[in-house]
Amino acid sequence: MATNGRPLYAPHPSEVLKDGLEYRGISQHGLAKGDCLFYSAFNEMLNGKRSLSPELALMMEVALGVDVAPLQAMQN
């Protein structure tokens, strides 16, 4: 069955963010910079245990300088 270049499943935003962090050479700890609450939420999201909340998305936009609107749309 042809998929017309689309994935057979909808990836979780964490997969895209993990790739972005790896590409930039940034660790989860380095991104959180000692903010335990942010690290906990971020870690759970990267492990697929939490959705990308608007608050976490805004933090990611600021920290990585990327538009996360497409990532939030992946969840819908």
Side-chain angles (χ1 to χ4, degrees), residues 27-73:
S27 69
Q28 290 182 45
H29 287 288
L31 186 64
K33 296 180 184 161
D35 186 340
C36 294
L37 180 61
F38 174 72
Y39 177 78
S40 176
F42 183 58
N43 182 270
E44 289 176 6
M45 190 274 304
L46 282 183
N47 289 314
K49 297 178 182 176
R50 176 187 290 240
S51 63
L52 182 61
S53 69
E55 295 82 12
L56 190 55
L58 182 59
M59 290 180 193
M60 295 303 302
E61 279 189 335
V62 171
L64 297 176
V66 297
D67 180 17
V68 295
L71 298 178
Q72 287 182 294

Side-chain angles (χ1 to χ4, degrees), residues 7 9-19 45 50-52 57 67-76:
Y9 70 97
H12 190 272
S14 64
E15 295 178 41
V16 177
L17 288 171
K18 284 179 185 179
D19 289 343
M45 190 274 304
R50 176 187 290 240
S51 63
L52 182 61
D67 180 17
V68 295
L71 298 178
Q72 287 182 294
M74 294 170 94
Q75 298 180 128
N76 299 330

